[in-house]
């Protein structure tokens, strides 16, 4: 494996820009690429390098991170004459920290192996709020030696780094986590809307929830958005992707995921909320209110 001198980062969205900055602040020499260059400008000003294409980025680094929306974004960045696969160096490690389809991730790992490089699925759990307080967790699937080689770099993303197993197993684990996350947040919004209709003040319910045993980290940063809609951690489009990944997996395995399916239906309703571009807790809560005749 290559000595780690340069780190590459592709995908400077809500999560990627913050993670790339953490890697830079931890002292790594980071070069970046993003489809929309404007989002890279603050990072270039902070001292990061810039590569014109994913291929150029991959050909100049020892460890490459990708943090892109979904499966099709990863495929668009991986393949083709300017794609990552055309540039990866022998012995390099590509850690994909996006949440994508497990099958695609495993297929990509095979393609990367054929180039003499290593591929790890390294999905992260948390949000921009979690990242800001340095509490992201990282799960890792793939060759253990490749994981151990980049483990210290992963610790710059967050303190909780867990090796899960072979390629694909970390992304499968992330699908399980996000299934539970979206169901829990949707159930929270359902409960709030229900008792609002019965006459309880929304702010009082939210405050009580935050002091209760169901105040998990994700409820902790999302519940306040029902009182003060100041932030978008993930909109309904991005969040429903993860339920669809779970439903596709369940269909392939012949498994029933009824709470996932019912929640995905609620997210369908949230997609037509006036607040569909806000955080999904806000749009799903609005959908419940609409169905309850409150708005
Ligand atoms: N938001 C969260 O709380 C959170 C937490 C954990 C994990 N995740 C996962 O992290 C990933 C990124 O999430 P995010 O919140 O950072 O999303 P985001 O803000 O929407 O950023 C998406 C990134 O993907 C790029 N992209 C999209 N389609 C592309 C394509 N076809 N080709 C090349 N680049 C493309 C975007 O480039 P442009 O700038 O050019 O649009 C942008 O850099 C997702 O898989 C998400 O599920 C998110």
């Amino acid at each position: 494996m290559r000595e780690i001198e340069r780190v590459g980062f592709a995908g400077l969205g809500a999560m990627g820009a913050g993670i790339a900055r953490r890697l830079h602040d931890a002292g790594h020499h980071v070069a970046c690429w993003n489809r929309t260059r404007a989002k890279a400008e603050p990072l270039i000003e902070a001292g990061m390098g810039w590569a014109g294409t994913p291929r150029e980025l991959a050909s100049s680094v020892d460890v490459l991170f990708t943090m892109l929306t979904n499966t099709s974004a990863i495929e668009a960045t991986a393949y083709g004459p300017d794609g990552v696969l055309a540039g990866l160096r022998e012995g390099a490690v590509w850690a994909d920290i996006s949440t994508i389809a497990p099958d695609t991730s495993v297929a990509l790992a095979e393609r990367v192996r054929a180039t003499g490089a290593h591929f790890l699925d390294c999905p992260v759990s948390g949000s921009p709020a979690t990242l800001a307080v340095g509490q992201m967790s990282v799960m890792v699937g793939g060759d253990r030696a490749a994981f151990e080689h980049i483990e210290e770099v992963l610790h710059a993303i967050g303190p909780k780094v867990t090796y899960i197993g072979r390629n694909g197993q970390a992304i499968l684990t992330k699908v399980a986590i996000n299934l539970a996350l979206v169901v829990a947040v949707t159930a929270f919004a359902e409960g709030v809307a229900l008792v609002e209709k019965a006459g309880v003040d929304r702010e009082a319910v939210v405050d009580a929830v935050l002091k209760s045993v169901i105040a998990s980290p994700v409820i902790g940063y999302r519940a306040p958005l029902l009182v003060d809609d100041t932030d978008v951690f993930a909109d309904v489009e991005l969040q429903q992707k993860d339920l669809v990944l779970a439903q596709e997996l369940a269909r392939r395995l012949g498994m029933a995921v009824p709470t996932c399916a019912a929640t995905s239906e609620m997210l369908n309703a949230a997609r037509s909320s006036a607040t569909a571009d806000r955080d999904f807790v806000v749009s799903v809560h609005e959908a419940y209110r609409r169905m309850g005749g409150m708005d």
Side-chain angles (χ1 to χ4, degrees), residues 10-17 19 33-40 54 66-77 96-100 123-130 136-137 171 174 178 181 221-222 232-235 238-239 241-242 245 279:
L12 304 171
M15 288 301 298
I19 293 175
W33 171 83
N34 194 54
R35 183 180 58 177
T36 308
R37 182 180 162 131
K39 290 187 194 165
T66 43
M67 187 47 149
L68 305 170
T69 311
N70 53 22
T71 306
S72 62
I74 285 291
E75 288 179 331
T77 306
D96 179 35
I97 61 175
S98 330
T99 305
I100 66 165
V124 295
S125 181
S127 69
T130 322
M136 290 299 289
S137 61
I171 197 72
K174 170 73 196 253
N178 271 22
L181 180 153
Y221 60 75
R222 280 205 154 93
V232 180
F233 300 120
D235 65 16
L238 189 65
Q239 208 66 82
K241 157 183 70 78
D242 301 339
L245 291 178
D279 192 88

Short mmCIF file of all heavy atoms in Angstrom, two decimals, residues 10-17 19 33-40 54 66-77 96-100 123-130 136-137 171 174 178 181 221-222 232-235 238-239 241-242 245 279, ligand 1:
data_model
loop_
_atom_site.label_atom_id
_atom_site.label_comp_id
_atom_site.label_asym_id
_atom_site.label_seq_id
_atom_site.Cartn_x
_atom_site.Cartn_y
_atom_site.Cartn_z
N ALA A 10 -13.55 13.95 -3.20
CA ALA A 10 -14.50 14.28 -4.27
C ALA A 10 -15.90 14.36 -3.69
O ALA A 10 -16.38 13.40 -3.08
CB ALA A 10 -14.44 13.22 -5.37
N GLY A 11 -16.55 15.50 -3.88
CA GLY A 11 -17.93 15.67 -3.41
C GLY A 11 -18.00 16.62 -2.23
O GLY A 11 -17.87 16.22 -1.08
N LEU A 12 -18.20 17.91 -2.55
CA LEU A 12 -18.15 18.94 -1.51
C LEU A 12 -19.54 19.50 -1.22
O LEU A 12 -19.77 20.70 -1.25
CB LEU A 12 -17.18 20.05 -1.93
CG LEU A 12 -15.76 19.55 -2.26
CD1 LEU A 12 -14.92 20.67 -2.88
CD2 LEU A 12 -15.07 19.00 -1.02
N GLY A 13 -20.48 18.58 -0.96
CA GLY A 13 -21.84 19.00 -0.59
C GLY A 13 -21.90 19.32 0.90
O GLY A 13 -20.89 19.63 1.54
N ALA A 14 -23.12 19.22 1.46
CA ALA A 14 -23.34 19.58 2.87
C ALA A 14 -22.40 18.81 3.80
O ALA A 14 -21.82 19.38 4.73
CB ALA A 14 -24.79 19.32 3.24
N MET A 15 -22.24 17.52 3.55
CA MET A 15 -21.37 16.71 4.40
C MET A 15 -19.92 16.76 3.92
O MET A 15 -19.00 16.91 4.72
CB MET A 15 -21.83 15.24 4.40
CG MET A 15 -23.10 14.97 5.14
SD MET A 15 -23.05 15.42 6.89
CE MET A 15 -21.77 14.36 7.49
N GLY A 16 -19.73 16.61 2.62
CA GLY A 16 -18.37 16.48 2.08
C GLY A 16 -17.50 17.69 2.38
O GLY A 16 -16.33 17.53 2.76
N ALA A 17 -18.03 18.90 2.22
CA ALA A 17 -17.21 20.10 2.44
C ALA A 17 -16.70 20.14 3.88
O ALA A 17 -15.53 20.45 4.13
CB ALA A 17 -18.02 21.36 2.12
N ILE A 19 -16.33 17.54 5.95
CA ILE A 19 -15.39 16.44 6.23
C ILE A 19 -14.03 16.75 5.60
O ILE A 19 -12.98 16.54 6.23
CB ILE A 19 -15.96 15.09 5.73
CG1 ILE A 19 -17.20 14.72 6.57
CG2 ILE A 19 -14.91 13.99 5.81
CD1 ILE A 19 -17.94 13.47 6.10
N TRP A 33 -12.06 17.74 -5.59
CA TRP A 33 -12.79 17.91 -6.85
C TRP A 33 -14.27 17.94 -6.51
O TRP A 33 -14.73 17.23 -5.61
CB TRP A 33 -12.53 16.75 -7.83
CG TRP A 33 -13.45 16.81 -9.03
CD1 TRP A 33 -13.27 17.57 -10.15
CD2 TRP A 33 -14.70 16.13 -9.20
NE1 TRP A 33 -14.35 17.39 -11.00
CE2 TRP A 33 -15.24 16.51 -10.44
CE3 TRP A 33 -15.42 15.23 -8.40
CZ2 TRP A 33 -16.46 16.03 -10.92
CZ3 TRP A 33 -16.65 14.75 -8.88
CH2 TRP A 33 -17.14 15.14 -10.13
N ASN A 34 -15.02 18.80 -7.21
CA ASN A 34 -16.47 18.80 -7.09
C ASN A 34 -17.05 19.14 -8.45
O ASN A 34 -16.47 19.94 -9.20
CB ASN A 34 -16.94 19.83 -6.04
CG ASN A 34 -18.39 19.63 -5.66
OD1 ASN A 34 -18.78 18.53 -5.26
ND2 ASN A 34 -19.20 20.66 -5.79
N ARG A 35 -18.20 18.53 -8.79
CA ARG A 35 -18.81 18.79 -10.09
C ARG A 35 -19.02 20.28 -10.28
O ARG A 35 -18.76 20.84 -11.34
CB ARG A 35 -20.14 18.02 -10.17
CG ARG A 35 -20.85 18.14 -11.47
CD ARG A 35 -22.14 17.35 -11.44
NE ARG A 35 -23.05 17.76 -10.37
CZ ARG A 35 -24.25 17.28 -10.17
NH1 ARG A 35 -24.71 16.32 -10.96
NH2 ARG A 35 -25.02 17.71 -9.17
N THR A 36 -19.49 20.95 -9.22
CA THR A 36 -19.68 22.40 -9.27
C THR A 36 -18.49 23.05 -8.57
O THR A 36 -18.38 22.99 -7.34
CB THR A 36 -20.99 22.78 -8.55
OG1 THR A 36 -22.05 21.97 -9.09
CG2 THR A 36 -21.33 24.25 -8.70
N ARG A 37 -17.61 23.66 -9.34
CA ARG A 37 -16.35 24.14 -8.75
C ARG A 37 -16.56 25.21 -7.67
O ARG A 37 -15.79 25.30 -6.71
CB ARG A 37 -15.43 24.69 -9.85
CG ARG A 37 -14.11 25.14 -9.25
CD ARG A 37 -13.11 25.71 -10.21
NE ARG A 37 -12.14 26.46 -9.42
CZ ARG A 37 -10.84 26.35 -9.53
NH1 ARG A 37 -10.31 25.55 -10.40
NH2 ARG A 37 -10.05 27.08 -8.76
N ALA A 38 -17.62 26.02 -7.83
CA ALA A 38 -17.81 27.14 -6.89
C ALA A 38 -17.80 26.67 -5.43
O ALA A 38 -17.30 27.38 -4.55
CB ALA A 38 -19.12 27.85 -7.20
N LYS A 39 -18.32 25.45 -5.18
CA LYS A 39 -18.37 24.97 -3.78
C LYS A 39 -16.98 24.67 -3.23
O LYS A 39 -16.80 24.57 -2.02
CB LYS A 39 -19.24 23.71 -3.69
CG LYS A 39 -20.71 23.97 -3.90
CD LYS A 39 -21.53 22.73 -3.62
CE LYS A 39 -22.95 22.89 -4.15
NZ LYS A 39 -23.68 21.63 -4.22
N ALA A 40 -15.99 24.54 -4.13
CA ALA A 40 -14.62 24.24 -3.66
C ALA A 40 -13.85 25.50 -3.30
O ALA A 40 -12.84 25.43 -2.60
CB ALA A 40 -13.86 23.48 -4.75
N PRO A 54 -12.26 13.84 -11.80
CA PRO A 54 -12.05 12.76 -10.83
C PRO A 54 -10.80 11.94 -11.16
O PRO A 54 -10.05 11.52 -10.29
CB PRO A 54 -13.32 11.91 -10.97
CG PRO A 54 -14.35 12.85 -11.49
CD PRO A 54 -13.62 13.81 -12.37
N THR A 66 -14.77 9.67 -1.48
CA THR A 66 -15.89 10.18 -2.29
C THR A 66 -17.10 10.33 -1.38
O THR A 66 -17.39 9.45 -0.56
CB THR A 66 -16.23 9.24 -3.47
OG1 THR A 66 -16.19 7.89 -3.01
CG2 THR A 66 -15.27 9.42 -4.62
N MET A 67 -17.80 11.47 -1.49
CA MET A 67 -18.98 11.75 -0.68
C MET A 67 -20.03 12.36 -1.60
O MET A 67 -20.19 13.59 -1.67
CB MET A 67 -18.61 12.71 0.46
CG MET A 67 -19.73 12.95 1.47
SD MET A 67 -20.51 11.44 2.02
CE MET A 67 -20.99 11.83 3.68
N LEU A 68 -20.73 11.49 -2.33
CA LEU A 68 -21.66 11.93 -3.37
C LEU A 68 -23.08 11.48 -3.05
O LEU A 68 -23.29 10.55 -2.26
CB LEU A 68 -21.21 11.37 -4.72
CG LEU A 68 -19.76 11.72 -5.10
CD1 LEU A 68 -19.31 10.93 -6.32
CD2 LEU A 68 -19.61 13.21 -5.36
N THR A 69 -24.04 12.12 -3.71
CA THR A 69 -25.45 11.93 -3.36
C THR A 69 -25.92 10.49 -3.28
O THR A 69 -26.50 10.07 -2.28
CB THR A 69 -26.35 12.64 -4.41
OG1 THR A 69 -25.86 13.96 -4.60
CG2 THR A 69 -27.78 12.69 -3.96
N ASN A 70 -25.67 9.74 -4.37
CA ASN A 70 -26.33 8.43 -4.47
C ASN A 70 -25.57 7.51 -5.43
O ASN A 70 -24.49 7.88 -5.92
CB ASN A 70 -27.79 8.61 -4.92
CG ASN A 70 -27.88 9.45 -6.20
OD1 ASN A 70 -26.90 9.54 -6.95
ND2 ASN A 70 -29.02 10.04 -6.45
N THR A 71 -26.17 6.38 -5.72
CA THR A 71 -25.53 5.37 -6.56
C THR A 71 -25.17 5.94 -7.93
O THR A 71 -24.05 5.74 -8.42
CB THR A 71 -26.49 4.16 -6.71
OG1 THR A 71 -26.87 3.72 -5.41
CG2 THR A 71 -25.82 3.02 -7.44
N SER A 72 -26.10 6.64 -8.56
CA SER A 72 -25.80 7.11 -9.93
C SER A 72 -24.70 8.17 -9.91
O SER A 72 -23.90 8.26 -10.86
CB SER A 72 -27.07 7.60 -10.64
OG SER A 72 -27.60 8.69 -9.95
N ALA A 73 -24.60 8.96 -8.86
CA ALA A 73 -23.52 9.97 -8.77
C ALA A 73 -22.16 9.28 -8.64
O ALA A 73 -21.17 9.71 -9.24
CB ALA A 73 -23.76 10.90 -7.59
N ILE A 74 -22.12 8.20 -7.87
CA ILE A 74 -20.85 7.46 -7.72
C ILE A 74 -20.47 6.83 -9.06
O ILE A 74 -19.31 6.89 -9.49
CB ILE A 74 -20.98 6.38 -6.62
CG1 ILE A 74 -20.95 7.03 -5.23
CG2 ILE A 74 -19.88 5.32 -6.74
CD1 ILE A 74 -19.59 7.62 -4.83
N GLU A 75 -21.47 6.25 -9.75
CA GLU A 75 -21.16 5.61 -11.04
C GLU A 75 -20.68 6.66 -12.05
O GLU A 75 -19.73 6.41 -12.79
CB GLU A 75 -22.39 4.85 -11.56
CG GLU A 75 -22.62 3.60 -10.73
CD GLU A 75 -23.84 2.78 -11.15
OE1 GLU A 75 -24.81 3.36 -11.67
OE2 GLU A 75 -23.80 1.56 -10.92
N ALA A 76 -21.30 7.84 -12.04
CA ALA A 76 -20.91 8.89 -12.99
C ALA A 76 -19.47 9.36 -12.71
O ALA A 76 -18.76 9.76 -13.63
CB ALA A 76 -21.87 10.08 -12.87
N THR A 77 -19.05 9.26 -11.45
CA THR A 77 -17.72 9.75 -11.07
C THR A 77 -16.66 8.65 -11.21
O THR A 77 -15.48 8.94 -11.38
CB THR A 77 -17.80 10.28 -9.61
OG1 THR A 77 -18.86 11.23 -9.54
CG2 THR A 77 -16.51 10.95 -9.18
N ASP A 96 -15.18 5.05 -0.06
CA ASP A 96 -16.43 5.73 -0.43
C ASP A 96 -17.26 5.91 0.83
O ASP A 96 -17.71 4.94 1.44
CB ASP A 96 -17.20 4.92 -1.48
CG ASP A 96 -18.51 5.61 -1.83
OD1 ASP A 96 -18.53 6.86 -1.85
OD2 ASP A 96 -19.52 4.92 -2.07
N ILE A 97 -17.46 7.17 1.21
CA ILE A 97 -18.19 7.45 2.45
C ILE A 97 -19.64 7.85 2.19
O ILE A 97 -20.37 8.23 3.10
CB ILE A 97 -17.44 8.50 3.33
CG1 ILE A 97 -17.29 9.84 2.61
CG2 ILE A 97 -16.08 7.98 3.73
CD1 ILE A 97 -16.66 10.92 3.51
N SER A 98 -20.07 7.75 0.92
CA SER A 98 -21.48 8.03 0.57
C SER A 98 -22.37 6.88 1.03
O SER A 98 -21.88 5.81 1.40
CB SER A 98 -21.64 8.14 -0.95
OG SER A 98 -20.50 8.62 -1.60
N THR A 99 -23.68 7.08 0.95
CA THR A 99 -24.63 5.98 1.20
C THR A 99 -25.23 5.59 -0.14
O THR A 99 -26.06 6.32 -0.70
CB THR A 99 -25.74 6.43 2.18
OG1 THR A 99 -25.12 6.93 3.36
CG2 THR A 99 -26.64 5.25 2.54
N ILE A 100 -24.77 4.44 -0.67
CA ILE A 100 -25.21 4.01 -2.01
C ILE A 100 -25.70 2.56 -1.93
O ILE A 100 -25.64 1.93 -0.87
CB ILE A 100 -24.07 4.14 -3.05
CG1 ILE A 100 -22.92 3.16 -2.73
CG2 ILE A 100 -23.56 5.57 -3.12
CD1 ILE A 100 -21.95 2.98 -3.89
N PRO A 123 -19.34 4.17 4.99
CA PRO A 123 -20.41 5.14 5.24
C PRO A 123 -20.29 5.76 6.63
O PRO A 123 -19.74 5.14 7.54
CB PRO A 123 -21.67 4.27 5.12
CG PRO A 123 -21.22 2.89 5.44
CD PRO A 123 -19.82 2.78 4.91
N VAL A 124 -20.80 6.97 6.73
CA VAL A 124 -20.72 7.69 8.00
C VAL A 124 -22.12 7.90 8.57
O VAL A 124 -23.08 8.05 7.82
CB VAL A 124 -20.01 9.06 7.83
CG1 VAL A 124 -18.56 8.85 7.41
CG2 VAL A 124 -20.72 9.95 6.82
N SER A 125 -22.22 7.91 9.89
CA SER A 125 -23.50 8.19 10.53
C SER A 125 -23.37 9.49 11.31
O SER A 125 -22.40 9.70 12.05
CB SER A 125 -23.90 7.04 11.47
OG SER A 125 -25.15 7.33 12.06
N GLY A 126 -24.37 10.35 11.12
CA GLY A 126 -24.35 11.68 11.74
C GLY A 126 -24.88 12.67 10.73
O GLY A 126 -25.44 12.29 9.70
N SER A 127 -24.68 13.94 11.01
CA SER A 127 -25.20 15.00 10.15
C SER A 127 -24.20 16.15 10.20
O SER A 127 -23.23 16.08 10.97
CB SER A 127 -26.54 15.48 10.71
OG SER A 127 -26.27 16.16 11.93
N PRO A 128 -24.44 17.21 9.45
CA PRO A 128 -23.56 18.37 9.60
C PRO A 128 -23.48 18.84 11.06
O PRO A 128 -22.43 19.31 11.51
CB PRO A 128 -24.20 19.42 8.69
CG PRO A 128 -24.84 18.60 7.60
CD PRO A 128 -25.38 17.38 8.31
N ALA A 129 -24.59 18.66 11.81
CA ALA A 129 -24.57 19.06 13.24
C ALA A 129 -23.64 18.15 14.03
O ALA A 129 -22.90 18.61 14.92
CB ALA A 129 -25.99 19.01 13.81
N THR A 130 -23.68 16.85 13.73
CA THR A 130 -22.82 15.88 14.42
C THR A 130 -21.36 16.14 14.09
O THR A 130 -20.47 16.06 14.95
CB THR A 130 -23.20 14.44 13.96
OG1 THR A 130 -24.61 14.36 13.80
CG2 THR A 130 -22.73 13.40 14.95
N MET A 136 -18.98 12.28 14.52
CA MET A 136 -19.38 11.38 13.43
C MET A 136 -18.89 9.96 13.73
O MET A 136 -17.85 9.77 14.36
CB MET A 136 -18.76 11.81 12.11
CG MET A 136 -19.30 13.09 11.53
SD MET A 136 -21.06 13.07 11.14
CE MET A 136 -21.11 11.99 9.72
N SER A 137 -19.64 8.98 13.24
CA SER A 137 -19.13 7.61 13.32
C SER A 137 -18.93 7.08 11.90
O SER A 137 -19.65 7.46 10.97
CB SER A 137 -20.03 6.72 14.15
OG SER A 137 -21.30 6.65 13.58
N ILE A 171 -21.81 -0.82 4.27
CA ILE A 171 -22.92 -0.09 3.63
C ILE A 171 -24.25 -0.77 3.97
O ILE A 171 -25.27 -0.09 4.16
CB ILE A 171 -22.66 0.08 2.11
CG1 ILE A 171 -23.57 1.17 1.52
CG2 ILE A 171 -22.78 -1.19 1.33
CD1 ILE A 171 -23.20 2.54 1.91
N LYS A 174 -25.12 0.48 7.32
CA LYS A 174 -25.63 1.86 7.25
C LYS A 174 -27.09 1.88 6.81
O LYS A 174 -27.90 2.69 7.28
CB LYS A 174 -24.75 2.68 6.29
CG LYS A 174 -25.27 4.05 5.92
CD LYS A 174 -25.17 5.06 7.05
CE LYS A 174 -26.02 6.27 6.79
NZ LYS A 174 -25.43 7.48 6.44
N ASN A 178 -30.02 3.70 8.92
CA ASN A 178 -30.89 4.76 8.42
C ASN A 178 -32.34 4.33 8.32
O ASN A 178 -33.24 5.17 8.43
CB ASN A 178 -30.35 5.31 7.10
CG ASN A 178 -29.38 6.45 7.38
OD1 ASN A 178 -28.83 6.53 8.47
ND2 ASN A 178 -29.19 7.34 6.42
N LEU A 181 -33.36 5.18 11.69
CA LEU A 181 -33.35 6.65 11.88
C LEU A 181 -34.59 7.30 11.28
O LEU A 181 -35.28 8.09 11.93
CB LEU A 181 -32.07 7.22 11.25
CG LEU A 181 -31.83 8.73 11.33
CD1 LEU A 181 -30.32 9.02 11.29
CD2 LEU A 181 -32.52 9.52 10.23
N TYR A 221 -30.99 16.77 17.48
CA TYR A 221 -30.72 17.88 16.56
C TYR A 221 -31.88 18.15 15.59
O TYR A 221 -31.94 19.20 14.98
CB TYR A 221 -29.37 17.75 15.84
CG TYR A 221 -29.14 16.52 14.97
CD1 TYR A 221 -29.73 16.38 13.72
CD2 TYR A 221 -28.27 15.52 15.38
CE1 TYR A 221 -29.49 15.27 12.92
CE2 TYR A 221 -28.02 14.39 14.59
CZ TYR A 221 -28.63 14.28 13.35
OH TYR A 221 -28.40 13.19 12.56
N ARG A 222 -32.82 17.18 15.45
CA ARG A 222 -33.92 17.42 14.50
C ARG A 222 -35.17 17.99 15.16
O ARG A 222 -35.86 18.82 14.56
CB ARG A 222 -34.27 16.14 13.75
CG ARG A 222 -33.33 15.86 12.60
CD ARG A 222 -33.96 15.01 11.53
NE ARG A 222 -33.34 15.23 10.24
CZ ARG A 222 -32.33 14.50 9.75
NH1 ARG A 222 -31.80 13.53 10.45
NH2 ARG A 222 -31.84 14.77 8.55
N VAL A 232 -31.22 22.58 7.33
CA VAL A 232 -31.60 21.37 6.59
C VAL A 232 -30.44 20.40 6.67
O VAL A 232 -29.38 20.64 6.10
CB VAL A 232 -31.89 21.70 5.09
CG1 VAL A 232 -32.29 20.43 4.34
CG2 VAL A 232 -32.98 22.76 4.97
N PHE A 233 -30.63 19.31 7.41
CA PHE A 233 -29.57 18.31 7.51
C PHE A 233 -29.68 17.32 6.34
O PHE A 233 -28.68 16.92 5.79
CB PHE A 233 -29.64 17.59 8.86
CG PHE A 233 -29.46 18.55 10.02
CD1 PHE A 233 -30.45 18.69 10.98
CD2 PHE A 233 -28.32 19.32 10.12
CE1 PHE A 233 -30.29 19.58 12.03
CE2 PHE A 233 -28.16 20.23 11.16
CZ PHE A 233 -29.14 20.36 12.12
N ALA A 234 -30.90 16.93 6.01
CA ALA A 234 -31.14 16.11 4.82
C ALA A 234 -32.61 16.31 4.45
O ALA A 234 -33.49 16.21 5.31
CB ALA A 234 -30.86 14.63 5.08
N ASP A 235 -32.87 16.59 3.17
CA ASP A 235 -34.27 16.78 2.77
C ASP A 235 -34.92 15.42 2.49
O ASP A 235 -34.26 14.37 2.54
CB ASP A 235 -34.38 17.75 1.58
CG ASP A 235 -33.74 17.21 0.31
OD1 ASP A 235 -33.47 15.99 0.23
OD2 ASP A 235 -33.50 18.02 -0.61
N LEU A 238 -33.28 13.13 -0.24
CA LEU A 238 -32.03 12.45 0.16
C LEU A 238 -32.30 11.36 1.19
O LEU A 238 -31.75 10.26 1.12
CB LEU A 238 -31.04 13.48 0.73
CG LEU A 238 -29.62 12.98 1.00
CD1 LEU A 238 -28.92 12.58 -0.30
CD2 LEU A 238 -28.79 14.04 1.72
N GLN A 239 -33.20 11.63 2.11
CA GLN A 239 -33.44 10.68 3.19
C GLN A 239 -34.26 9.49 2.73
O GLN A 239 -34.00 8.35 3.15
CB GLN A 239 -34.14 11.40 4.36
CG GLN A 239 -33.85 10.80 5.69
CD GLN A 239 -32.41 10.92 6.16
OE1 GLN A 239 -32.03 11.95 6.67
NE2 GLN A 239 -31.62 9.88 6.01
N LYS A 241 -34.10 8.09 -0.08
CA LYS A 241 -33.18 7.20 -0.81
C LYS A 241 -32.78 6.00 0.06
O LYS A 241 -32.72 4.87 -0.42
CB LYS A 241 -31.93 8.01 -1.21
CG LYS A 241 -30.68 7.17 -1.46
CD LYS A 241 -29.49 8.05 -1.78
CE LYS A 241 -28.95 8.84 -0.62
NZ LYS A 241 -28.13 8.08 0.33
N ASP A 242 -32.55 6.25 1.33
CA ASP A 242 -32.06 5.17 2.20
C ASP A 242 -33.15 4.15 2.51
O ASP A 242 -32.87 2.96 2.65
CB ASP A 242 -31.47 5.77 3.48
CG ASP A 242 -30.32 6.73 3.17
OD1 ASP A 242 -29.75 6.62 2.06
OD2 ASP A 242 -30.01 7.60 3.99
N LEU A 245 -33.31 2.00 -0.54
CA LEU A 245 -32.21 1.01 -0.53
C LEU A 245 -32.61 -0.19 0.34
O LEU A 245 -32.38 -1.35 -0.03
CB LEU A 245 -30.91 1.62 0.01
CG LEU A 245 -30.23 2.68 -0.86
CD1 LEU A 245 -28.98 3.22 -0.14
CD2 LEU A 245 -29.83 2.13 -2.23
N ASP A 279 -35.63 20.40 5.95
CA ASP A 279 -35.24 19.11 6.51
C ASP A 279 -36.46 18.17 6.50
O ASP A 279 -37.60 18.62 6.66
CB ASP A 279 -34.72 19.27 7.94
CG ASP A 279 -34.06 17.99 8.42
OD1 ASP A 279 -32.85 17.84 8.18
OD2 ASP A 279 -34.76 17.12 8.99
N1 LIG B 1 -26.74 15.02 5.05
C1 LIG B 1 -26.50 14.16 6.01
O1 LIG B 1 -26.84 14.38 7.19
C2 LIG B 1 -25.77 12.87 5.70
C3 LIG B 1 -25.27 12.12 6.77
C4 LIG B 1 -24.58 10.94 6.52
C5 LIG B 1 -24.43 10.51 5.22
N2 LIG B 1 -24.96 11.23 4.20
C6 LIG B 1 -24.77 10.73 2.82
O2 LIG B 1 -23.70 11.47 2.26
C7 LIG B 1 -23.90 11.64 0.85
C8 LIG B 1 -23.83 13.11 0.52
O3 LIG B 1 -24.82 13.79 1.27
P1 LIG B 1 -24.84 15.40 1.38
O4 LIG B 1 -25.79 15.72 2.47
O5 LIG B 1 -23.45 15.94 1.41
O6 LIG B 1 -25.52 15.73 -0.03
P2 LIG B 1 -25.44 17.10 -0.90
O7 LIG B 1 -25.23 18.27 -0.04
O8 LIG B 1 -26.62 17.06 -1.79
O9 LIG B 1 -24.11 16.90 -1.79
C9 LIG B 1 -24.07 15.95 -2.81
C10 LIG B 1 -22.74 15.95 -3.52
O10 LIG B 1 -22.79 14.99 -4.62
C11 LIG B 1 -22.43 15.66 -5.84
N3 LIG B 1 -23.13 15.03 -6.96
C12 LIG B 1 -24.45 14.78 -7.08
N4 LIG B 1 -24.72 14.18 -8.25
C13 LIG B 1 -23.53 14.08 -8.90
C14 LIG B 1 -23.15 13.54 -10.15
N5 LIG B 1 -24.04 12.97 -11.01
N6 LIG B 1 -21.83 13.59 -10.51
C15 LIG B 1 -20.93 14.14 -9.67
N7 LIG B 1 -21.22 14.66 -8.46
C16 LIG B 1 -22.51 14.63 -8.08
C17 LIG B 1 -22.82 17.10 -5.61
O11 LIG B 1 -22.13 17.90 -6.54
P3 LIG B 1 -22.65 19.40 -6.88
O12 LIG B 1 -22.10 20.27 -5.79
O13 LIG B 1 -22.07 19.68 -8.22
O14 LIG B 1 -24.16 19.36 -6.89
C18 LIG B 1 -22.37 17.29 -4.17
O15 LIG B 1 -20.97 17.45 -4.09
C19 LIG B 1 -25.24 10.96 0.54
O16 LIG B 1 -25.01 9.64 0.09
C20 LIG B 1 -25.94 10.95 1.89
O17 LIG B 1 -26.90 9.91 1.99
C21 LIG B 1 -25.59 12.41 4.41
#
